[in-house]
Amino acid sequence: MKILVCVCQTPDTAAKIDFVDNNTQFNANGVTFIMNPTDEWYALVRAIELKKQHGGTVTTITVGGAENEQTIRKGLAIGADDAVRIDTNAADSYGVAAQIAEYARSQNYDLILTGKETIDYNGSSVGGMIAELLDLPYLSGASHLDMPDANTAIAKCEIEGGIETLSAATPLVISSQKGMAEQVIPNMQGIMLSRRKPLTVVAPAAINDLASVKVFEKPAPRSSVKLIDPDNAADLIRLLHEEAKVI
Amino acid sequence: MSVLVYIDHAGGNIKKVSLEALSYATKVAELTGAAGVTALVLGSAADATVAGLGAYGATHVLWANNPLFDNFDSGAFTKAIAEAAAQTGANLVVLSHNSRGKAIAPRLSVRLKAPLIAGAVSLPTLDGSALVVRKSVFSGKAFADCVLAGATNIISLNPNAYSVAKGGGSCSVSAFSPSVSAADFKITTVSVEKQSGDAVPLPEAELVVSAGRGMRGPENWYLVEDLATALGATTACSRPVADVHWRPHHEHVGQTGITIRPNLYIAIGISGAIQHLAGVNNSKVIVVINKDSEAPFFKAADYGIVGDAFEILPKLTEAVKRFKAEHA
Ligand SMILES: Cc1cc2nc3c(=O)[nH]c(=O)nc-3n(C[C@H](O)[C@H](O)[C@H](O)COP(=O)(O)OP(=O)(O)OC[C@H]3O[C@@H](n4cnc5c(N)ncnc54)[C@H](O)[C@@H]3O)c2cc1C
């Protein structure tokens, strides 16, 4: 079974977010970058588990510059067999998806996994776009994925107020979320091996972006908290009704 | 300018988030001087339900009353919506950024070569002929104003970002027969498991009662649930609570869980780590209950009670019950 996992780099979850150039650019200065959590914890780990079950290969793919290579090596240390980096900075989800789809088109992957969204631009779009570009079925936000055989995927996907169990034949695209796997910390052997695993740099295809960001803004800070005496808890309910008007 | 709204429903019950999307689209049509708003319904529903969309601003409904669409496949649905967009000459397609919307919108963006704003939180403003729409980025730590300048554009609207507006309008309904066949449905629904209770699903909830490790164990959650039930709120939790399975995964809010923006978020025994705040800080009103007056969450709160949740929760629940009785 050939599995492709889309992984990208995002600012650390604890990073303070700032912008420069009149709030048109993210300020990466002093920011630590990590692998996007849902890509790493769920998509990549589950891909490696499925490979152990059915044999085959797990390849990671990343659209971005050389500054992504530490993140990519981490994916190899966790257990991917090889990695592909498409050497361009895409400006939107479509740019990323189209580059990946162009590469994947000739490679006959059985399964393409993404995280449910990145924690920076929160697009939740790359998986669905790849599926449409390659005319494949798409399962969005799977919290569970089993492959009873190498040709069948059975996934649980959350919908509002319930969980659907869905099945589809490979090849297909699935975006992954919490529940699909447990986070794995790479061990020493994995880290040593990762240095010798192949990382192929591919030239980008000519692709135009669709949407663009005009300006960023940070939410206004809240005015200071109004404290309520714990012996007068009922006061809170009155304030929520009369003052905040939310109940 | 012409606007198409995809209406999501479950077994003929139109989802509130789709009424939000329709109300939003109606307002956008008004702002941009669009000719009308077409609502698209796929699958079985009652005639009155479909015709009732006029009250939320639809001037016309296209309805594919075909049981094929009672199963969901993002590919087949995308094909049908794209045909409706072509048939109506839509320059703007609006849908909810709910679970179905997240599966459909990116596919539709590719199929129509239309720029997509996934998870819009504001009405668009006009910049020449382009639309500028705000969305949350960095999981709630910032906003981005994004430019939509395609011949056709797509907006998926965040749940709870725009209020349902019901008026007295009516609409015409016509049958819609997209060239979609059983072969376009490549996904089989094996089963659907309902989540317990009749609480509003978390992403759509206006009132949320959330708790963290301060509750010490799942056996104490009845205190949280009692308050939520009294308020008619939905329950949520912090990540460690879901990680140790005190609560189900789908209740985990925050940067690596789900991002919500209810009208009221009550956080009980949650410290207010940056990853947690990211997922909830766009809530309209935040109440924090924590025994530690130094807990970082108080800096992000509108109202706070410093004290022991085990003593405060029963009192609050009682107060809510009294309030509800007085205002019944
Ligand atoms: C990569 C990464 C991603 C993360 N993503 C998320 C995420 O998406 N969502 C998330 O929530 N967290 C996330 N976290 C974890 C986050 O950093 C915090 O560890 C977590 O939010 C803490 O949960 P908590 O507030 O329930 O527990 P604690 O931090 O242990 O806080 C418990 C609080 O309860 C209070 N308390 C104790 N007893 C009582 C009582 N009797 N009455 C009242 N108050 C009491 C304490 O004073 C304390 O403030 C992430 C962390 C990392 C590293």
Side-chain angles (χ1 to χ4, degrees):
Chain A
M1 196 163 63
K2 275 183 82 173
I3 308 178
L4 182 68
V5 185
C6 306
V7 301
C8 77
Q9 182 166 282
T10 57
D12 185 84
T13 56
K16 291 255 186 302
I17 302 303
D18 251 315
F19 303 99
V20 289
D21 292 346
N22 292 322
N23 289 327
T24 58
Q25 296 291 329
F26 172 64
N27 184 0
N29 228 330
V31 171
T32 312
F33 285 85
I34 58 168
M35 194 186 301
N36 184 49
T38 52
D39 303 354
E40 177 188 331
W41 302 346
Y42 312 128
L44 179 56
V45 173
R46 190 65 191 134
I48 294 163
E49 291 168 355
L50 289 170
K51 174 196 138 170
K52 287 196 183 124
Q53 191 185 341
H54 296 290
T57 54
V58 174
T59 303
T60 67
I61 189 162
T62 304
V63 179
E67 69 281 4
N68 288 274
E69 291 198 355
Q70 209 180 339
T71 299
I72 296 172
R73 289 280 167 207
K74 184 174 183 193
L76 296 171
I78 292 172
D81 298 291
D82 64 331
V84 173
R85 177 170 71 79
I86 303 180
D87 192 21
T88 183
N89 284 309
D92 68 353
S93 307
Y94 177 76
V96 174
Q99 293 292 353
I100 294 173
E102 274 319 302
Y103 178 81
R105 202 178 287 282
S106 58
Q107 303 282 327
N108 298 319
Y109 291 105
D110 299 292
L111 181 62
I112 300 179
L113 290 175
T114 70
K116 110 177 148 156
E117 65 177 3
T118 62
I119 60 167
D120 49 9
Y121 294 101
N122 305 108
S124 58
S125 299
V126 169
M129 287 177 168
I130 294 172
E132 188 67 19
L133 286 159
L134 299 179
D135 195 18
L136 296 176
Y138 174 52
L139 301 178
S140 162
S143 57
H144 197 88
L145 170 62
D146 274 329
M147 302 211 40
D149 57 67
N151 305 315
T152 315
I154 297 180
K156 288 189 197 247
C157 292
E158 317 225 334
I159 50 166
E160 291 74 18
I163 297 175
E164 295 178 322
T165 303
L166 306 167
S167 107
T170 58
L172 83 167
V173 181
I174 301 178
S175 80
S176 327
Q177 65 172 319
K178 187 163 184 160
M180 193 186 269
E182 299 282 342
Q183 184 179 2
V184 167
I185 313 286
N187 59 25
M188 211 44 216
Q189 194 201 5
I191 295 168
M192 297 299 286
L193 282 173
S194 74
R195 299 200 184 126
R196 278 177 278 127
K197 288 181 178 172
L199 192 173
T200 314
V201 179
V202 176
I207 278 152
N208 295 322
D209 300 315
L210 284 176
S212 62
V213 173
K214 189 177 176 193
V215 68
F216 293 99
E217 191 179 309
K218 295 212 277 179
R222 278 175 203 264
S223 50
S224 58
V225 56
K226 191 176 248 182
L227 288 179
I228 290 140
D229 180 355
D231 293 329
N232 252 331
D235 246 13
L236 173 68
I237 305 306
R238 185 183 58 76
L239 286 167
L240 291 177
H241 177 63
E242 290 173 7
E243 190 178 82
K245 299 191 167 60
V246 287
I247 60 170
Chain B
M1 173 98 177
S2 159
V3 183
L4 179 73
V5 185
Y6 166 67
I7 303 291
D8 185 17
H9 64 95
N13 293 316
I14 293 185
K15 296 193 179 159
K16 181 178 163 241
V17 292
S18 287
L19 297 179
E20 291 171 359
L22 177 55
S23 304
Y24 176 92
T26 303
K27 189 73 187 175
V28 179
E30 196 182 302
L31 293 175
T32 55
V37 176
T38 303
L40 172 66
V41 180
L42 301 175
S44 312
D47 291 349
T49 306
V50 174
L53 292 169
Y56 303 93
T59 49
H60 188 68
V61 178
L62 284 181
W63 183 18
N65 187 3
N66 178 340
L68 262 185
F69 291 106
D70 297 342
N71 280 309
F72 180 74
D73 182 301
S74 57
F77 274 55
T78 297
K79 202 170 161 190
I81 300 169
E83 280 183 30
Q87 187 177 318
T88 57
N91 328 89
L92 177 66
V93 181
V94 178
L95 69 174
S96 172
H97 193 58
N98 67 348
S99 56
R100 297 290 191 234
K102 286 179 192 171
I104 294 168
R107 298 196 78 128
L108 193 62
S109 170
V110 166
R111 199 168 184 99
L112 297 176
K113 299 209 168 37
L116 160 69
I117 296 308
V121 298
S122 77
L123 282 167
T125 53
L126 285 171
D127 183 356
S129 62
L131 299 173
V132 179
V133 186
R134 175 161 282 207
K135 66 164 283 182
S136 271
V137 288
F138 297 97
S139 304
K141 292 178 189 171
F143 296 109
D145 291 338
C146 305
V147 183
L148 291 171
T152 306
N153 299 300
I154 305 172
I155 296 176
S156 68
L157 178 70
N158 230 40
N160 258 336
Y162 194 81
S163 302
V164 174
K166 192 173 182 183
S170 61
C171 62
S172 54
V173 178
S174 53
F176 174 57
S177 312
S179 61
V180 173
S181 69
D184 292 305
F185 287 81
K186 295 177 182 120
I187 292 163
T188 311
T189 305
V190 179
S191 63
V192 182
E193 194 185 312
K194 283 232 162 230
Q195 269 152 27
S196 56
D198 350 291
V200 183
L202 189 53
E204 300 168 18
E206 290 176 4
L207 306 175
V208 174
V209 175
S210 182
R213 291 211 308 193
M215 290 310 296
R216 282 191 231 133
E219 67 281 7
N220 299 321
W221 239 264
Y222 71 96
L223 291 166
V224 179
E225 281 168 347
D226 285 352
L227 177 60
T229 307
L231 276 168
T234 303
T235 50
C237 70
S238 68
R239 176 180 166 210
V241 162
D243 280 353
V244 296
H245 306 293
W246 290 0
R247 299 299 292 174
H249 284 326
H250 62 83
E251 283 200 2
H252 162 192
V253 292
Q255 194 152 14
T256 51
I258 62 168
T259 305
I260 53 171
R261 35 186 298 128
N263 295 342
L264 175 63
Y265 184 74
I266 303 183
I268 303 153
I270 300 177
S271 56
I274 187 167
Q275 297 95 350
H276 185 86
L277 294 180
V280 302
N281 66 4
N282 289 322
S283 307
K284 287 190 191 93
V285 173
I286 295 180
V287 174
V288 168
I289 300 170
N290 198 302
K291 68 175 184 188
D292 174 10
S293 63
E294 300 293 312
F297 218 146
F298 283 114
K299 291 205 177 65
D302 301 289
Y303 298 98
I305 303 181
V306 180
D308 186 346
F310 291 83
E311 287 166 25
I312 293 167
L313 284 176
K315 287 191 207 163
L316 273 182
T317 304
E318 271 320 300
V320 171
K321 284 184 182 158
R322 248 181 288 123
F323 169 83
K324 292 274 175 179
E326 282 162 23
H327 291 79

